[in-house]
Amino acid sequence: MKLSEIIEKINAEVVYLSEDCDILHGCTGDLLSMVMKNAKSDSIWITVQNHVNIIAVASMVGIKAIVLCEGLEYSPDTIEKAKEEGISLLKSNESSFVVSGKIYSLGII
C-alpha cells in the first residue's frame, strides 16, 4: 500500500514526506534493539521514541516511515537527519496501540 494511502486512512500528520513509497510491513516498538531485530525492510514503524537515534535504526533496517504517537514531537535534529536519510516522519495524537491496530486493519503486517 502506498504511504499516502496509509497517512490518509490513519489520519496522521505529515512532519516530513520523503517519497510516496510502498509500505509492505509494520513494526511497533520503543526498544531500538528489538526494532533492529524484528522490523523488515519497507516497513512503517510505530513508536513513542522521538530522538535522532530512531533515524539510524530506521536507515539500517530499511524502514521507510515512522509514526510518532501520543501527540509527541520530533526533535529538530531528528527531522534534519530524517531528511538526510530519506525517511518519512508522521505523527498522531493516538496511542501506539490504536495506530498499530489501524495499520494492521489495512492489511499491513
Side-chain angles (χ1 to χ4, degrees):
M1 176 176 281
K2 289 290 186 186
L3 180 57
S4 60
E5 294 175 75
I6 294 171
I7 292 167
E8 180 182 328
K9 291 183 185 295
I10 70 168
N11 197 29
E13 180 181 336
V14 176
V15 175
Y16 169 70
L17 184 63
S18 174
E19 63 176 310
D20 191 18
C21 56
D22 288 320
I23 300 295
L24 305 177
H25 307 284
C27 178
T28 302
D30 301 318
L31 189 57
L32 302 185
S33 60
M34 292 300 289
V35 172
M36 287 176 12
K37 176 184 172 202
N38 295 318
K40 298 177 182 174
S41 185
D42 300 320
S43 289
I44 188 167
W45 176 14
I46 300 94
T47 187
V48 294
Q49 296 290 341
N50 61 354
H51 51 79
V52 72
N53 292 343
I54 63 173
I55 305 304
V57 169
S59 181
M60 286 175 30
V61 174
I63 292 169
K64 302 294 185 186
I66 301 170
V67 183
L68 183 61
C69 298
E70 302 285 346
L72 298 170
E73 300 289 334
Y74 292 101
S75 70
D77 290 345
T78 302
I79 296 168
E80 187 59 36
K81 191 65 174 173
K83 290 177 180 178
E84 290 174 18
E85 296 293 330
I87 297 168
S88 296
L89 298 178
L90 314 171
K91 63 182 190 172
S92 173
N93 289 325
E94 296 179 301
S95 70
S96 296
F97 179 79
V98 170
V99 173
S100 297
K102 287 181 176 184
I103 291 172
Y104 181 81
S105 73
L106 299 174
I108 306 295
I109 58 169

